Amino acid sequence: MSSKHSLVLTEAPWLRVVLITLTLTFVALFLLLPLAAVITEALRNGVEAYWEAIVEPDALAAIRLTLTAAAIAVPLNLVFGVCAAWAIAKHDFRGKNLLVTLIDLPFAVSPVISGLIYVLMFGMQGWLGPWLAEHDIKIVFAVPGIVLATIFVTFPFVARELIPVMQEQGTEEEEAALTLGANGWQTFWRVTLPNIKWGLLYGVILCNARAMGEFGAVSVVSGHIRGQTNTLPLHVEILYNEYNFVAAFATASLLALLALVTLAVKSFVEWRAAQQAAAARNAEPPASVGSLA
Amino acid sequence: MASASAFTFKRPSVIPGFGITLGFALFYLSLIVLIPLSSTFLKSTELGWDGFWQTVTHPRVVASYRVSFGASLAAAAVNLFAGLLVAWVLVRYRFPGKRLIDALVDLPFALPTAVAGISLTALYAGNGWIGQYLEPLGLKVAFTPVGITVALIFIGLPFVVRSVQPVLQELEPELEEAAASLGASRFTTFRRVILPSLMPALLTGFALAFARGLGEYGSVIFIAGNMPMISEITPLLIITKLEQYDYAGATAIAVAMLLISFVLLLLINLLQWWSRKRHTE
């Protein structure tokens, strides 16, 4: 990068120092301090109080529910993402751009509305509410509603990561595999998947982080029953509103840890993907020349 | 596969699995997204036009638009500058800890909003690490619209940085060399050569941050104070209506917000299209 920009083309040293200092100050103020505050507040009354807040039965139930919701939502959205990307990136059909826009729709919707739409579908005042009540099925203000809302807010993650990656790969390798006698499944597992694995992992990590951390949408459909329909973020809110700050921040620190792990894995995946891309460029120079033309 | 040939709108291809993958994708998309969203629009017709209009123009609701729009605009504007600065420094300069900062920029994407909310509230409250220095200056942040803006700056930062960063990385140094060799000062080069080529990406990041800010809930409600007419955001009003079992009212406000979001989504798509066009030219 630095070789690309010769010395003449960069700012005066004092200006560089000022800009870097400004950036570091901004990042420290807006990104590092909030993280530090979570940890400090969580440990305010010592490690023992911290630990107590985490192993308390309601907190454990919240952890279980959060893991359950993510364990259902992430695989479903993974299968959807792969299917959608396969259809969109490997085939040409009318209405493709519309489909891509529709897949992104959940990102444009406020989390609160993402919860509301399921209340309107399955709640007592909703379309299917009376029928569901007759058959004694609870969706809203119960676990299924939480899972549905989680699926909605994490819906686009895997698909929108995979579509550009698979589009860039083209279809030549798959066509070669098919010509050599591989069937559809074999082509996908042996040819496509190795090419998209980093993009796939990237999408899954982001999807999982949002699934475990979602607040607004889940809050609308949860019903807030302690030990039953409280996810970790909702548990944080309840403790905070009860002025139980140490417990609230202790629970929040688990979610902050999840965020840090997500960032670490994400950086690793980006690094591996860049390596793979560099290796691919070095392996077949004619292809990159061709793409320039 | 045989089923693929049944689709006449598709260009023929030897790659199998089109019918089943598109079929499943459409089925799942309809079930999770399209049917619930359209049922919300249908539900809002129950109020009738007059009822709908009365709900979405009620003074308390209008005040909440002002808070939501004002704070989102202010935060997106701050992020326009902060995001450009961070992206510039990360792409152009070398300094210790650069990779760490690059990774940290995504923290607002990864950190659950409720955690950001209580943490920022603790920082900016009167006795907090930052609040204790601002309060004597007469600047109250927590539990005011300023607090909402602070939360939305946190939430929106990565949108601008991640929109601008790749474009800045791909920028041809030849253009800057040409400007410099023609006698332009560094500042002139930045203003007349670099900034115009970053414009589409900057505006995209701005629009994304703004759209996200409008709908944001978790990080805002803790720091907002939630005083009707003063620091109450529109998404909170939907929740309040729901808690009062006013489903029709909640739906009406939700539909108003959805329409705004869809217009923004359209705008963002146009900006990205413009950005791509500029980029490939």
Side-chain angles (χ1 to χ4, degrees):
Chain A
M1 201 49 48
S2 62
S3 62
K4 200 168 158 185
H5 300 282
S6 59
L7 268 176
V8 192
L9 281 173
T10 140
E11 290 67 46
W14 67 266
L15 186 58
R16 262 181 286 165
V17 171
V18 168
L19 293 179
I20 291 174
T21 313
L22 270 176
T23 301
L24 291 178
T25 314
F26 185 82
V27 167
L29 214 59
F30 273 88
L31 300 177
L32 275 179
L33 267 189
L35 264 185
V38 171
I39 294 155
T40 317
E41 295 288 330
L43 292 172
R44 181 162 290 241
N45 291 353
V47 179
E48 213 162 292
Y50 176 85
W51 187 244
E52 250 169 50
I54 288 173
V55 296
E56 187 241 347
D58 286 342
L60 290 178
I63 295 174
R64 258 197 308 278
L65 181 55
T66 295
L67 293 176
T68 310
I72 300 171
V74 176
L76 278 176
N77 284 339
L78 170 66
V79 172
F80 163 74
V82 171
C83 282
W86 183 266
I88 288 169
K90 302 288 178 191
H91 298 89
D92 258 326
F93 57 94
R94 249 187 271 173
K96 195 153 129 171
N97 290 335
L98 178 68
L99 182 58
V100 174
T101 309
L102 288 178
I103 289 175
D104 264 350
L105 216 50
F107 277 168
V109 176
S110 168
V112 169
I113 298 175
S114 313
L116 173 75
I117 58 174
Y118 294 110
V119 175
L120 294 180
M121 285 278 285
F122 302 115
M124 269 318 279
Q125 271 79 7
W127 304 101
L128 298 172
W131 185 87
L132 288 170
E134 233 168 72
H135 294 80
D136 212 21
I137 306 170
K138 262 188 92 74
I139 292 187
V140 169
F141 310 130
V143 175
I146 293 175
V147 173
L148 272 174
T150 307
I151 293 177
F152 182 91
V153 293
T154 57
F155 185 87
F157 277 104
V158 178
R160 75 167 351 191
E161 281 308 323
L162 279 189
I163 292 168
V165 174
M166 275 167 80
Q167 262 167 345
E168 205 162 309
Q169 301 284 345
T171 54
E172 282 154 32
E173 290 182 41
E174 279 84 5
E175 280 160 11
L178 289 162
T179 316
L180 292 172
N183 64 32
W185 262 126
Q186 288 170 323
T187 309
F188 174 74
W189 281 107
R190 303 263 186 88
V191 178
T192 311
L193 197 59
N195 277 334
I196 61 168
K197 62 179 182 227
W198 295 117
L200 193 73
L201 190 57
Y202 194 92
V204 166
I205 295 160
L206 295 182
C207 182
N208 181 63
R210 180 74 193 265
M212 292 190 173
E214 178 52 29
F215 177 72
V218 170
S219 168
V220 174
V221 294
S222 140
H224 303 272
I225 308 164
R226 271 201 166 178
Q228 284 180 40
T229 61
N230 251 353
T231 62
L232 264 184
L234 298 178
H235 191 59
V236 170
E237 184 201 20
I238 288 194
L239 292 169
Y240 188 86
N241 286 343
E242 287 171 347
Y243 301 102
N244 192 349
F245 293 135
V246 168
F249 278 100
T251 317
S253 75
L254 292 182
L255 292 166
L257 186 70
L258 167 76
L260 288 178
V261 171
T262 303
L263 290 185
V265 179
K266 185 175 166 294
S267 300
F268 173 75
V269 169
E270 276 168 348
W271 174 68
R272 281 310 306 259
Q275 262 193 338
Q276 200 182 32
R281 262 199 306 277
N282 291 338
E284 35 179 343
S288 60
V289 171
S291 69
L292 276 177
Chain B
M1 272 184 197
S3 62
S5 59
F7 289 92
T8 48
F9 66 92
K10 170 186 172 285
R11 190 185 295 171
S13 142
V14 294
I15 309 238
F18 177 71
I20 186 149
T21 53
L22 185 71
F24 174 71
L26 287 177
F27 169 73
Y28 189 72
L29 176 73
S30 310
L31 207 65
I32 299 289
V33 179
L34 299 183
I35 294 173
L37 269 182
S38 29
S39 77
T40 306
F41 280 91
L42 273 177
K43 181 94 186 169
S44 73
T45 57
E46 279 176 19
L47 265 178
W49 175 252
D50 287 339
F52 176 82
W53 190 249
Q54 245 162 32
T55 309
V56 299
T57 56
H58 186 274
R60 187 166 161 191
V61 181
V62 172
S64 83
Y65 300 146
R66 228 181 354 250
V67 174
S68 279
F69 270 86
S72 302
L73 263 181
V78 171
N79 277 329
L80 195 62
F81 291 98
L84 175 61
L85 172 72
V86 173
W88 180 270
V89 167
L90 284 177
V91 171
R92 292 287 171 107
Y93 302 152
R94 278 209 278 191
F95 56 96
K98 176 171 150 166
R99 292 189 67 146
L100 188 70
I101 302 234
D102 195 15
L104 258 183
V105 166
D106 282 325
L107 181 71
F109 283 161
L111 192 69
T113 52
V115 178
I118 63 170
S119 175
L120 289 169
T121 311
L123 283 175
Y124 287 94
N127 57 356
W129 290 350
I130 301 176
Q132 60 177 324
Y133 298 109
L134 297 178
E135 206 115 304
L137 304 173
L139 189 62
K140 253 179 81 73
V141 176
F143 318 121
T144 70
V146 183
I148 302 177
T149 310
V150 167
L152 295 181
I153 293 173
F154 174 83
I155 291 296
L157 177 72
F159 288 101
V160 181
V161 178
R162 296 303 186 222
S163 298
V164 174
Q165 216 175 3
V167 181
L168 199 52
Q169 226 141 28
E170 297 294 310
L171 222 56
E172 299 292 335
E174 285 83 2
L175 281 176
E176 291 166 49
E177 276 166 13
S181 67
L182 290 171
S185 74
R186 191 64 191 141
F187 181 70
T188 311
T189 310
F190 177 79
R191 201 167 50 90
R192 305 285 291 272
V193 176
I194 302 176
L195 208 53
S197 30
L198 292 182
M199 224 14 135
L202 271 172
L203 286 177
T204 306
F206 177 86
L208 284 171
F210 176 67
R212 172 70 198 262
L214 275 187
E216 181 56 26
Y217 176 71
S219 62
V220 172
I221 49 156
F222 295 100
I223 202 169
N226 306 326
M227 297 214 312
M229 312 298 290
I230 296 169
S231 60
E232 192 175 50
I233 54 167
T234 313
L236 178 68
L237 218 50
I238 295 176
I239 298 239
T240 312
K241 294 253 182 221
L242 271 181
E243 278 167 358
Q244 296 161 347
Y245 300 103
D246 180 6
Y247 285 79
T251 311
I253 302 174
V255 163
M257 276 195 76
L258 279 174
L259 290 175
I260 296 167
S261 305
F262 292 161
V263 170
L264 278 171
L265 186 69
L266 192 71
L267 191 76
I268 291 165
N269 275 338
L270 281 175
L271 279 170
Q272 275 167 342
W273 172 79
W274 180 36
S275 178
R276 263 199 304 276
K277 215 180 110 200
R278 273 288 274 275
H279 207 61
T280 47
E281 260 171 13

